[in-house]
């Protein structure tokens, strides 16, 4: 990673008169080779690690927690017609909040921003627990999503100041692993509470987590620098509107009836994202750092690779359905089979983050998407209408291998983003955008999976193959974007 900064900035200073320190961040690779997980989780850095990882985990758990609780909540509150909007409201709110991370850090600093994030998440969770009607639950989920999105964005942005450079790769791996843990724990915890009809206590438990993590913040994190009046990060209103509209359209695509309607809404979302890119290139106030749009920069390819990897995670939304319909698995068992992707993601990252050689890191960035695509392809090939038990057991290592592809590449891609600029403010914006890309990609992936399932019609086997083969094709493009990032970086003087 020691060459990533020079590769992505080309040795040029950031534009628009930003204050630039005399030298770039110290490359994390050589020190990180000697760093250990014990050092990261030792007394000096344990508090920071808990806050950073806890914020990401809280948001990740709640993506799928409510999905397991909703049937019980609907039986209590009614409002079945709003059922599908629960995930929509939460994901859109998360995307909006991740885009406001730079503004939050500029206005309140590290500690103030984290306290605001945990407070918003806690209030939203308590409001969910006390909701008297489904409409109130949806509004509360939006508030909860705002807090979760801010915490996710802050995690990647604050790691640059909360941890020394030698621990950036480990810290990033720990946080990104929380997405996998959340995808595994969310349905499990939701199902456990729903088993006893206790959907309200589930949200109350999330509020307790928010309070506990928030209490650690003042002692665990450096306060960070606030921007002075007039110099604080401006709210990127145009970009915010376009991305919010795109995220909303993607979420709507997941709930409208009929494949043509879904495809039309998804096409609208892609057009809005195209408008977002055009606006970002020309606008003065951006969500992504200026280097993303600079000719010859590899940063855009790094973001695209992160997006493709996290896009593949969305396949988990429908794997339980395939397990139940094609293999006759009980819902709880099918859910744990599907979580093998997240388990592979989380487990592999711990080992992958120990790799520091420049060539090895570049190979992992390309290998990750290839392994993810290969795993999904094989999973599609082994689908059967009446899957025998022995073949069901094959699903676990195959799905684990697919998730391992994400874990191999994700932490190194994240560190490439964090070391992409000399300016601390631009670096924070670049790191926070990782969470924006992740949230958007999961939303787009979920919508596309819904369209592919519908293409199968009455045949669940066809639906499973459409989803798995389609996702394999998309994820395979990540190897091309990772190679483009490598090649663009090497072309720099």
């Amino acid at each position: 990673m020691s060459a990533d900064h020079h590769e992505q900035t080309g040795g040029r200073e950031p534009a628009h008169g930003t204050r630039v320190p005399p030298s770039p961040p110290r490359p994390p690779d050589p020190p990180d080779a000697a760093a250990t997980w014990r050092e990261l989780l030792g007394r000096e850095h344990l508090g920071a690690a808990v806050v950073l990882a806890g914020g990401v985990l809280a948001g990740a758990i709640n993506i799928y927690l409510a999905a397991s609780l909703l049937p019980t909540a609907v039986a209590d509150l009614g409002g079945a017609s709003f059922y599908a909007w629960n995930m929509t409201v939460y994901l859109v709110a998360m995307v909006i909040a991740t885009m406001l991370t730079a503004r939050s850090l500029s206005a309140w600093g590290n500690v103030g921003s984290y306290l605001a994030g945990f407070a918003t998440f806690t209030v939203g969770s308590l409001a969910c627990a006390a909701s008297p009607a489904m409409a109130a639950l949806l509004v509360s989920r939006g508030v909860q999503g705002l807090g979760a999105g801010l915490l996710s964005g802050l995690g990647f942005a604050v790691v640059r100041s909360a941890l020394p450079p030698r621990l950036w790769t480990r810290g990033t791996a720990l946080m990104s692993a929380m997405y996998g843990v959340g995808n595994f724990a969310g349905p499990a915890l939701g199902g456990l509470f729903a088993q006893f009809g206790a959907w309200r206590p589930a949200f109350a438990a999330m509020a307790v987590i928010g309070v506990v993590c928030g209490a650690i913040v003042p002692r665990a994190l450096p306060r960070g620098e606030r921007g002075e009046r007039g110099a604080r990060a401006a709210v990127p209103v145009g970009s915010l509107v376009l991305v919010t509209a795109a995220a909303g359209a993607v979420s709507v695509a997941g709930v409208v009836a009929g494949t043509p309607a879904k495809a039309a809404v998804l096409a609208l979302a892609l057009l809005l994202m195209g408008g977002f890119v055009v606006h970002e290139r020309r606008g003065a106030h951006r969500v992504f750092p200026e280097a993303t749009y600079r000719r010859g920069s590899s940063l855009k390819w790094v973001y695209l690779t992160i997006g493709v990897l996290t896009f593949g995670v969305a396949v988990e939304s429908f794997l339980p359905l395939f397990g139940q319909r094609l293999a006759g698995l009980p819902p709880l068992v099918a859910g744990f089979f599907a979580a093998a992707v997240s388990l592979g993601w989380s487990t592999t990252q711990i080992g992958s983050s120990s790799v520091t050689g420049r060539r090895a890191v570049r190979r992992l960035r390309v290998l990750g998407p290839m392994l993810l695509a290969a795993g999904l392809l094989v999973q599609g090939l082994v689908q059967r209408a009446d899957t025998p038990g022995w073949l069901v057991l094959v699903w676990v290592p195959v799905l684990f291998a697919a998730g391992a592809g994400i874990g191999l590449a994700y932490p190194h891609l994240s560190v490439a983003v964090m070391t992409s600029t000399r300016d601390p403010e631009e670096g924070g914006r670049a790191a926070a955008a990782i969470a924006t890309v992740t949230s958007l990609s999961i939303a787009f992936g979920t919508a596309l999976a819904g369209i592919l399932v519908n293409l199968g019609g009455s045949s669940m086997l066809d639906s499973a193959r459409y989803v798995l083969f389609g996702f394999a094709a998309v994820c395979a493009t990540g190897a091309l974007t990772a190679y483009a990032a490598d090649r663009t970086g090497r072309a720099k003087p």
Side-chain angles (χ1 to χ4, degrees), residues 87-474:
M87 181 77 79
T88 298
V89 171
Y90 185 80
L91 284 176
V92 171
M94 278 195 72
V95 171
I96 293 172
T98 59
M99 296 175 63
L100 296 175
T101 302
R103 171 66 179 179
S104 172
L105 287 171
S106 179
W108 302 324
N110 295 342
V111 172
S113 296
Y114 256 105
L115 289 176
F118 279 119
T120 304
F121 178 79
T122 300
V123 169
S125 299
L126 289 175
C128 287
S131 295
M134 183 56 70
L137 180 61
L138 287 180
V139 174
S140 302
R141 282 284 282 169
V143 176
Q144 192 186 41
L146 288 173
L150 181 57
L151 292 171
S152 297
L154 286 171
F156 291 98
V158 174
V159 69
R160 301 173 84 251
S161 59
L163 297 175
R166 66 181 179 275
L167 295 179
W168 284 0
T169 305
R170 303 290 172 89
T172 302
L174 181 64
M175 284 188 297
S176 53
M178 293 302 102
Y179 282 110
V181 173
N183 290 353
F184 183 86
L189 289 175
L192 180 63
F193 279 98
Q195 188 75 29
F196 298 97
W199 67 272
R200 295 183 189 273
F203 285 115
M206 292 296 102
V208 172
I209 293 176
V211 171
V212 171
C213 290
I216 303 174
V217 168
R219 299 177 60 183
L221 297 180
R223 293 195 170 273
E225 297 182 0
R226 302 186 190 181
E228 299 178 2
R229 290 186 180 179
R232 292 180 178 177
V235 177
V237 178
S239 297
L240 191 62
V241 170
L242 287 167
V243 168
T244 301
V250 167
S251 300
V252 169
V255 299
V256 295
T259 300
K262 287 179 179 289
V265 177
L266 192 58
L268 174 62
L270 291 174
L271 287 175
L272 289 168
M273 286 304 300
F276 164 78
V277 172
V278 172
H279 176 80
E280 283 263 300
R281 289 177 66 92
R282 299 177 179 176
H285 307 303
R286 300 181 176 90
V287 174
F288 291 90
E290 186 269 340
T292 308
Y293 307 101
R294 186 184 300 147
R295 178 176 296 180
S297 169
S298 62
L299 189 54
K300 56 180 172 292
W301 299 114
V302 175
Y303 278 129
L304 284 172
T305 308
I306 291 174
V308 169
L309 286 172
T310 51
F311 180 93
V313 180
V315 77
E316 284 189 331
S317 300
F318 291 91
L319 288 177
L321 176 65
F322 303 151
Q324 292 177 51
R325 298 287 182 86
L326 298 178
L329 298 176
L332 183 60
V333 176
F336 278 111
F337 268 89
V341 175
S342 291
L343 186 61
W345 176 5
S346 303
T347 304
T348 308
Q349 277 189 140
I350 304 302
S352 171
S353 64
S354 301
V355 178
T356 57
R358 200 180 311 174
R359 289 184 178 179
V361 165
R362 284 171 170 158
R363 288 171 182 169
L364 288 179
R365 290 195 217 161
V366 176
L367 177 62
M370 293 174 63
L371 184 58
L372 173 61
L376 296 177
L377 176 62
V378 172
Q379 183 67 12
L381 292 173
V382 299
Q383 298 299 294
R384 298 290 184 273
D386 294 304
T387 310
W390 68 268
L391 191 55
V392 172
L393 295 178
V394 175
W395 290 0
V396 177
V398 171
L399 293 173
F400 184 94
I406 305 174
L408 288 177
Y410 196 100
H412 301 292
L413 292 165
S414 299
V415 172
V417 171
M418 288 190 292
T419 57
S420 63
T421 176
R422 299 180 181 185
D423 183 72
E425 185 175 337
E426 281 285 281
R429 181 180 290 111
I434 296 172
T436 303
V437 171
T438 298
S439 300
L440 274 173
S441 297
I442 293 175
F444 266 95
T446 302
L448 179 61
I451 293 175
L452 295 175
V453 165
N454 286 343
L455 288 178
S458 60
S459 172
M460 186 54 61
L461 178 59
D462 288 344
S463 295
R465 287 173 174 169
Y466 278 130
V467 170
L468 292 166
F469 292 156
F471 269 65
V474 173

